[in-house]
Amino acid sequence: MVELKGGKTAPRLLEDLDAYDPRRPSTAGCNLLVNFPRQHENGELPTTIPRYKNQCRHQWDVKQSQCHLPLIAERPDPKVVSTVAAFCEHCRCHLKLSIEFPPGGASPCPSHESPLHHFIYRAEESHPRTRVGSAGKIDYSTGWEDLVSFQCSTTECSAKLKIHTRSPHLRPEWIDLLTNKDIIKPRAEKAMSDDPTRFEGHAVPLPSEVLSTLRTYIVNALQNSNRRTIPAHNKRWLLCLGDTCTELLEYIGFVRKDDEWLVPCADTSVAAPVFNPINVLLEDVEKELLALLLQRPDDEKRASKVQYSLTSASQLLARTLGTENYDQNPSSRTNISHDEEHPFYPSLGAKLDFRDDLIKFAYERQLMSDPEGTPYYLQALQGIATGRHSEDLQTSVAIEASSGKVSAHDIREAYNALGLGLGSEYLDDDHIIGTFQSRAADSPRQESDLRRALQIVGQHRGSPSIQSMASKTVTNLEQALSWLGATDDMDDNFVVAMYNVKVEEPSAEEATARHAVSLIAQHRNSSALKQWLETGVLGEVDMDVGQAYNRLQIDDHTIDDSFVLTTFELNYQEAPSQADDLRSALRAIAKERKSALLNNFLDSKVATTNHPLAEWPVGLRNIGNTCYLNSLLQFYFTIKPFRELVLDFDAYKRDATRDNLRESTIGSRVVSEQEVQRAQRFVRELQKLFQGMITSPTAFIQPELELARLTLLSQPAEADLRRSSTMGGDGLSLGEINGRPIIGPLALPMSEITENNIKTDSRAAETGIESSEPTLLGNDPVEDTADQEMPDLVPAKSPQQPQNDPALDDKENLPLSEASTVHYDTIEDLVDPLAEASPLQSTEQRPITNGDHKLPDLQGPTPTKDVVIKPPSRPPPYPPRPQPEENKDQIIRQEIQMGAQQDVTEVISNVLYQLECAIEATSFDPSGEQIDRIKDMFFGKSRSYTQNLRGDFETKEQFFSYLFVDVASGPKTIYEALDGAFDVQQVQVDGTYQPQYSTVSQLPPILNILVQRAQYDQTKSSAFKSVNHLDLEETIYMDRYIDSDDKDLIQRRTQSWDWKRQLRQLEARREDLMQTDLKMDVPELLDTTAESLDEISKEGDIGVTAGLEEAIKEAAAEAKEELESIKTLVKDLTANVRSQFVDRRKLPYRLQSAFIHRGTATSGHYWIYIRDFKRDLWREYNDETVSAVTNASQIYDEDKNPGRPATPYFLVYVRDDVKDGFVDPVCRDVPEQSETQNAMMNNVPDHFAESYRAPVQDGQGTTAVDGNWFEADHIKPHQW
């Protein structure tokens, strides 16, 4: 069982602080403030840390003069330590909580990225109280102190927190002197008997009077710096205190001098916070006396007229740790029965009242802080998601599972599935593999489940051999054929047949099977298989080589490749409409000859167009796992103001000085200098791409790896990734001392150690922020390339085995193209372009995992002075060589792979956030939020209305960059989907359900709509893609959603909500009537029952109640009638809802872009349709290929492909009145007849290169051939 070593969010820590009683530490050695609930290996639910019955639930009250806090709106000052001093009114323990922020902290928590502090226990700076007496009894013989230190795990914050608790000053025997009536009475009676005349009329004081008397003396001492005296024969003094309290009084600071008592002398000249020991002591004792006074019986307090009050420290503690206004969820629900919150919450360092997003934040921080505890943290997240019935959390669990993480529950189940049991962790790998093979042989139908269990066991043990056996990795052609049970001589039809045999229904093996087919398709360059991967329909199978020669009218099969190419071009000129058939023939000949020339020609011509390049958008090459990125980049390029901002970046560039940065916030947080620098690098990379898209002489180009990394990987994710990578690996052994290994990292070569290296490393350590979705990449350290210049964008050479066919469906699961790492020194190497990746984890990406990170145990016994330390047993290692350039590219590709796992919203948010960081503000809103050109383009404002218990509506306004719509429940129109974001719904307010609805208070020019398709199947515990159709409109009108005082609009909304409520009730009733356990609707079930009763009555064996059959038939008729009535009502109400706002058409928005995805939750491909309003044309941007859409129904209509329909994931609507100025898809400035163009046929024979010409803009006298133009009279039969 792994000991949890994670952290705690600030609210969790304050919650535990209230329950932490250092007087009675657990006999189990657990510390509530430091430790987590125990987990069990037998699968039982975890239990809370054991507590004693008499442990105090603290009620902390303020000790005002010892506190020091900044002003409410003041930012943390590294020079000032904020302190809250308090005491418990129950047990009288004292607390001092202090927090300080290190200099240079860019973004102290809470911030936009880190909504809460996440504190990690610092054992080396702590001195916790571990034992007190025996069996939990308190030992009061001496005082005690307890110091526990923490540090915020967010490097942008790194706040240091110290929690110091100590024992009460007043010992039990002293309290007896002040409160025990059996002690007070003899003391008072003795004083009265010694001088009866003087004490005539005096009574024995009550304990509350004794306490109040001593407290009054102390309060006077704190308020008066002049040392006062009290006569020893003072009547009140003798009655309440006397000589019996001498030890207590002297401890407090009273001094007996002859017949007087000198009162303690406090320093009243200093302002808070006060650290003077005598002042602190006096205030502490005064607060303890006050607590004892408030604990006296009510009748005693009334008799002595005690009227005191205490000030709770809860608000100050919350303010100090930034938890005053965190998002709470009072309606949290759980199915797990318990008296307190379930231990899963404290295990994540979270609280029961956290909203789902804070639960995810706490989970992500635990993973970053304690990677070894990942299985248990994932189990905790699963348990909370299930208990809350939270689809959001369940989706997060599915995404984590898809990235390769396994929960502690899954690990136990995996061992059980293999019949090994939990104790089998200590078996060797061979035994486990043998057990798997034996069970798989006995139960072949369960092989998939057994292999999954084996994979989990392998991950848990960190065993490469077990994982290799479990995965049946498919990475090359041989493995692909073997996995499918096919051979290389089988045609494409048979390959698809073998796939269908292997995957009878959608399963966990579908992704592997599709990947195997894609590898075969790449090797064969089979357009038929690629079409099948894209559409599910097998294309034309590759032509037989003999047919290919006949199709090109070539009799001599031995002619040179260049003549084959020339013949192809002649045939094409004669019959351009038969281009696909001619290309199939050429491809078959190229495959049979293994001809580099023919393959290069085919590869360079994949992106085809019948348009002059100067008049057509450029494509972007997929560099592996980046097709979503390509779609996103194409979209942003078509937005003219966005494109102009990027191209003319220097005119908008932000001044990154610290003073300037303090003035603006983005997303309610101040951006750091490092964020601005990174963002400006991103814009420079984007600028290079846009320039290439404008001037490129080729049909498509390739984005730089650095641009893909900066786009897909946010700075927090990058920082987390690099931190995690430095945690991996076993280090380099430098020999041993006394038999113990010396392990450490290699230093940089002396030639590479510079001031810049040092600054870069420290900055990476200080500025990383936690990731919403952390992924550990391998065990290799990741080099910081953030400050390195990437090479300028140039078109890249086509690989020998092309991967750029737009029909290839599974691009998201392919490794990064090797072509993306090739660098070219000459223009002659120019030929190919670019690509992109899906940021939706639940739909595309392959998981990227690494093994466990374990540091070697170097804590051996300390050698004594007699031990002779031997030198290392091996010579020092050679210094490391400078890292090869290809390794740096590989690191960037790894980072891109991680970034590609981010979901759509994260990638878009990262792009917009970086643009805002990079540019100057144009103004600021009242809250200090930056207003800039990006906000002006893409951000609107929504206003929510929530009814409180008084019946009033409370409003909240906030920015939004996209609207979130859901199609999980079934097909919807675009308006029905949008209504879900604005319609009234019931939310919990102070324990009761109240209505809440939203409006749009400010519409953006560009309206983004995200379609939520990633769903979670609780039965299968897996993610799936919802393929329900979303019926799009070319124009939508936002009038119905606008924030307005228009009474007619408000009335229409209210009426529409009522109709929808009726529709939901009718649909629920129809479902009740349509679904029964016997798979018949209720009318059919009743009719069948009546028929059965009729048969029984005819047989006469069993008596049937008279009239029962008729009654059932009547019930069946009524049910049928009710169903018909429901059908009519639903139709009428639906028509009412859809026509309610048809005359509200003053705010039209036109569909400009549609991001499309084809695939499942584990694989697929993205492309985008973009509208050219000026030319009244839709284009399809599919990586390298940009083609005109001849039939817009493929955008709007439902895809009828039953297995993998194409569905919109992200929509962009543009306000109609600005569309012409905002949307400009074609922006080209291609140089004419450059040297680059003339050299593009470098590998083509000279006599044919003359006929291969670059496109000319007018096209007169030329013929279009796959995006290039050929003059007919340049090619004559006699030339060859």
Side-chain angles (χ1 to χ4, degrees), residues 392-408:
D392 188 22
L393 291 181
Q394 288 168 343
T395 300
S396 296
V397 169
I399 291 173
E400 291 295 90
S402 69
S403 68
K405 296 184 181 69
V406 291
S407 70

Side-chain angles (χ1 to χ4, degrees), residues 51-62:
R51 304 178 186 175
Y52 290 106
K53 292 182 179 179
N54 295 326
Q55 277 187 314
C56 180
R57 181 75 182 183
H58 301 298
Q59 174 58 54
W60 299 112
D61 297 302
V62 178

Side-chain angles (χ1 to χ4, degrees), residues 91-338:
C91 69
R92 297 173 291 107
C93 289
H94 295 270
L95 165 71
K96 184 172 77 172
L97 182 147
S98 60
I99 185 169
E100 61 178 318
F101 295 85
S107 182
C109 299
S111 65
H112 176 72
E113 299 292 345
S114 301
L116 294 171
H117 284 293
H118 180 260
F119 290 111
I120 303 295
Y121 174 56
R122 307 283 293 181
E124 67 277 9
E125 299 176 10
S126 302
H127 306 287
R129 179 175 175 80
T130 55
R131 298 188 62 187
V132 184
S134 60
K137 295 181 179 179
I138 303 175
D139 180 7
Y140 288 103
S141 60
T142 60
W144 52 264
E145 290 189 358
D146 181 276
L147 176 62
V148 185
S149 297
F150 300 87
Q151 185 167 7
C152 184
S153 66
T154 304
T155 54
E156 292 263 331
C157 176
S158 299
K160 291 185 177 182
L161 174 70
K162 293 185 182 296
I163 298 177
H164 186 188
T165 52
R166 52 183 171 82
S167 61
H169 293 282
L170 299 180
R171 301 175 190 168
E173 62 268 25
W174 293 346
I175 294 175
D176 269 352
L177 292 173
L178 302 175
T179 60
N180 190 329
K181 294 181 179 180
D182 294 335
I183 297 176
I184 295 173
K185 183 177 180 181
R187 182 171 65 220
E189 289 177 344
K190 182 179 182 302
M192 289 186 288
S193 64
D194 288 344
D195 193 349
T197 303
R198 212 168 148 249
F199 284 96
E200 184 178 357
H202 287 75
V204 175
L206 294 170
S208 58
E209 293 178 290
V210 176
L211 294 168
S212 181
T213 297
L214 180 56
R215 179 178 176 273
T216 300
Y217 288 132
I218 294 174
V219 169
N220 290 335
L222 284 168
Q223 295 175 350
N224 193 336
S225 59
N226 297 324
R227 191 157 196 174
R228 301 174 57 217
T229 61
I230 302 173
H233 62 274
N234 180 285
K235 288 187 291 184
R236 189 170 187 81
W237 180 272
L238 289 174
L239 287 174
C240 293
L241 301 171
D243 293 336
T244 58
C245 295
T246 297
E247 183 183 12
L248 164 61
L249 295 169
E250 290 179 343
Y251 174 82
I252 296 172
F254 288 84
V255 178
R256 178 69 179 263
K257 186 177 182 181
D258 298 331
D259 292 334
E260 294 179 328
W261 282 91
L262 299 179
V263 177
C265 183
D267 184 359
T268 60
S269 63
V270 294
V274 176
F275 302 112
N276 184 307
I278 186 63
N279 289 55
V280 171
L281 173 63
L282 289 174
E283 184 179 19
D284 287 356
V285 173
E286 184 266 329
K287 296 301 183 185
E288 290 184 34
L289 292 170
L290 187 55
L292 292 170
L293 274 166
L294 294 176
Q295 293 171 12
R296 301 307 301 166
D298 291 339
D299 57 344
E300 185 179 316
K301 287 188 286 186
R302 284 194 297 271
S304 59
K305 300 181 180 180
V306 174
Q307 293 182 351
Y308 302 111
S309 62
L310 297 170
T311 302
S312 173
S314 299
Q315 187 173 2
L316 287 182
L317 290 169
R319 175 181 154 197
T320 303
L321 297 190
T323 66
E324 280 185 301
N325 300 312
Y326 74 88
D327 289 336
Q328 297 185 18
N329 183 22
S331 61
S332 297
R333 298 169 295 169
T334 176
N335 283 344
I336 306 173
S337 177
H338 49 67

